[in-house]
Amino acid sequence: MNRLGRQTIVFRNKPRVVGSYSVVGPKEGRGNFSKFFDKILDDDLFGEKSYEAAESKMLKLAITEAIKNANIFLVIKSKI
């Protein structure tokens, strides 16, 4: 990785998407694209007390499952 400036970097290899996973709420799950989603939630709050907590939980699930789908094995220590 090379730096072009204080905030600009250039990767040696082109970045690419190797895994993905989508998590959506019940409204999106009832839409025309429902067959393309990996996880459709039963409730908007994903069992949490706030939307912020639900979004955090959804993001963690999406990242974890995308890594699994990409067959990338990482050891991640997190309290999330």
Side-chain angles (χ1 to χ4, degrees):
M1 181 169 56
N2 297 322
R3 288 196 170 275
L4 289 180
R6 289 178 45 200
Q7 298 180 3
T8 306
I9 58 172
V10 177
F11 294 99
R12 290 186 189 103
N13 300 312
K14 292 181 181 179
R16 59 189 184 273
V17 176
V18 294
S20 64
Y21 192 86
S22 57
V23 183
V24 300
K27 289 180 184 177
E28 293 89 350
R30 289 189 298 270
N32 295 336
F33 298 107
S34 63
K35 66 182 177 182
F36 299 107
F37 301 129
D38 296 300
K39 173 81 172 168
I40 300 171
L41 303 176
D42 294 329
D43 74 287
D44 287 330
L45 292 178
F46 202 9
E48 298 295 325
K49 293 181 181 180
S50 70
Y51 286 109
E52 293 81 7
E55 287 178 356
S56 177
K57 188 175 175 180
M58 285 186 262
L59 181 60
K60 182 180 178 186
L61 176 63
I63 291 169
T64 302
E65 294 301 316
I67 290 169
K68 286 180 189 176
N69 288 344
N71 291 319
I72 298 171
F73 301 98
L74 302 173
V75 176
I76 300 173
K77 294 182 180 180
S78 174
K79 295 183 180 182
I80 297 175

